[in-house]
Amino acid sequence: MSGQVKAGYARALDIRRGRVDLSHGGGGRAMVQLVRELFARHLGNTWLEQGNDGTVLPPISGRLVLTTDSHVVAPLFFPGGDIGSLAVHGTVNDLAVMGARPLWLTAGFILEEGFPLGDLDRIAASMARACAAAGVLLVAGDTKVVEHGKGDGVFITTTGVGEAHPHCTLSGSAARPGDVVLLSGTLGDHGMAIMSQRENLGFDTPIESDSAALHGLTAQLMACAGADIRLMRDPTRGGLAATMNEIADQSGVGVLLDEAAIPLRPEVAAACELLGLDPLNVANEGKLVLVCAEQAATALLATMRAHPLGRAAARIGGITTDANHFVQMRTQLGGCRMVDWLSGEQLPRIC
């Protein structure tokens, strides 16, 4: 992300009124100026300042966990977050639910010609705050610019590296009949925050995204009963329904959820009803699903509820024997219904 050019420019970037132009992705002085005066001002550190094509990282004692993700959310700024913090949280969480301690991130930015530099500055600052709060460093990056009309402001791709817990054996194929399903909090907050802004919906209690880094919570859960945790997942795109179907499919089991036990904010329930959406399909960016052995469920639930990001945690169901690998839900009316994969794209550009 850095470059070696002479210090000083004829004119500093006009962050307040300036806009991205094609030269900012051209590999020349303008690009280096954008990196130095905008990105490095917020995200700079000794790794980036090396200015090499890659970053040489120190060895670690444990196993590495690697993940990558792309972020195309629209709008870029939404109640409770923005694409910058979302990109950091999403990648940190992918590492965290693998039982890893997040260490380093990289970021690739696809910018559209004409995008306001002031908005890009806000996004970079938000990423920096999210990285600092999560205790991770951005150690490499890249910037490209596409012509006006061929992008949508900003797309960000992030890659994360973490160190696995020494006794971590988490896997989507590890769920067994008799296991318990825990959920760390209310469903659908992120998806409905995005949709309420897109549709200009107003509620007495505004809906904010739950976007947050979960590594602190997962570390405490691993310390509590890591050997009894089968797997953890963050239910992002496709929501809880997709996550539970993935687990059922990978592990070759069934899942029975309890509708009455699933936490849901009244305003999110109202928004889903208004828009004709099933909250089980709506994305979350600060929640985790945990499958564990029965004997550890009470202690793990108490650990979740003692953490700020898990106060509304609940035991929402269990793993069953089912040759068809169905996910079903016991309804509040006493019946039972299928919880299937999302068909098509219900909420595009949600993360």
Side-chain angles (χ1 to χ4, degrees):
M1 181 176 274
S2 185
Q4 299 299 318
V5 299
K6 293 179 180 179
Y9 299 90
R11 180 180 299 172
L13 280 179
D14 186 346
I15 300 292
R16 190 164 63 90
R17 292 174 297 185
R19 292 180 178 273
V20 171
D21 62 46
L22 291 176
S23 69
H24 288 132
R29 182 180 291 272
M31 189 187 79
V32 176
Q33 184 180 19
L34 178 72
V35 170
R36 283 190 166 182
E37 296 186 13
L38 194 150
F39 288 113
R41 184 160 57 86
H42 296 294
L43 296 161
N45 55 61
T46 55
W47 305 102
L48 288 176
E49 289 167 4
Q50 293 172 5
N52 298 317
D53 285 347
T55 301
V56 179
L57 298 171
I60 65 171
S61 58
R63 293 166 296 160
L64 288 175
V65 179
L66 180 68
T67 186
T68 193
D69 204 354
S70 295
H71 307 275
V72 297
V73 65
L76 298 173
F77 301 93
F78 49 82
D82 55 71
I83 191 172
S85 58
L86 182 70
V88 174
H89 293 158
T91 303
V92 165
N93 291 347
D94 284 344
L95 295 170
V97 295
M98 287 298 296
R101 179 171 65 93
L103 297 172
W104 302 294
L105 301 181
T106 71
F109 296 85
I110 306 296
L111 310 176
E112 183 181 11
E113 180 185 19
F115 187 71
L117 289 178
D119 286 350
L120 187 59
D121 192 68
R122 287 176 60 193
I123 291 168
S126 177
M127 289 188 77
R129 289 192 296 272
C131 284
V136 297
L137 287 175
L138 188 70
V139 296
D142 182 54
T143 302
K144 297 289 191 303
V145 179
V146 297
E147 295 90 339
H148 180 68
K150 294 188 176 180
D152 196 4
V154 179
F155 299 146
I156 303 175
T157 295
T158 44
T159 294
V161 178
E163 180 180 14
H165 188 281
H167 305 300
C168 178
T169 58
L170 306 184
S171 170
S173 62
R176 297 290 178 267
D179 287 346
V180 173
V181 181
L182 305 180
L183 175 65
S184 67
T186 54
L187 281 186
D189 298 1
H190 175 71
M192 283 303 97
I194 299 292
M195 287 303 294
S196 61
Q197 178 139 331
R198 283 186 198 168
E199 303 297 328
N200 198 27
L201 300 177
F203 296 92
D204 292 339
T205 304
I207 302 174
E208 289 197 353
S209 169
D210 61 347
S211 180
L214 292 166
H215 63 296
L217 174 58
T218 57
Q220 291 189 13
L221 293 168
M222 292 296 293
C224 171
D228 288 320
I229 299 175
R230 311 292 197 214
L231 62 96
M232 294 187 285
R233 288 284 175 84
D234 54 337
T236 54
R237 281 178 302 166
L240 180 66
T243 297
M244 298 316 304
N245 275 283
E246 288 171 2
I247 293 170
D249 192 52
Q250 281 185 263
S251 294
V253 297
V255 177
L256 179 60
L257 301 175
D258 181 359
E259 184 177 29
I262 296 174
L264 190 64
R265 296 183 192 279
E267 55 271 27
V268 170
C272 285
E273 186 174 356
L274 182 65
L275 296 170
L277 302 174
D278 185 341
L280 298 184
N281 296 133
V282 179
N284 314 272
E285 290 293 343
K287 301 297 184 325
L288 71 87
V289 172
L290 183 150
V291 177
C292 65
E294 169 69 50
Q295 67 266 20
T298 300
L300 288 167
L301 185 58
T303 300
M304 279 189 183
R305 288 175 172 170
H307 191 279
L309 296 179
R311 288 175 181 148
R315 175 174 175 154
I316 63 167
I319 303 299
T320 64
T321 300
D322 187 336
N324 296 311
H325 312 160
F326 287 152
V327 178
Q328 302 180 69
M329 185 165 70
R330 188 184 300 113
T331 70
Q332 299 192 59
L333 297 177
C336 191
R337 74 172 176 92
M338 294 293 296
V339 178
D340 205 354
W341 297 86
L342 181 64
S343 180
E345 182 63 271
Q346 181 177 247
L347 298 171
R349 307 282 303 278
I350 206 76
C351 58

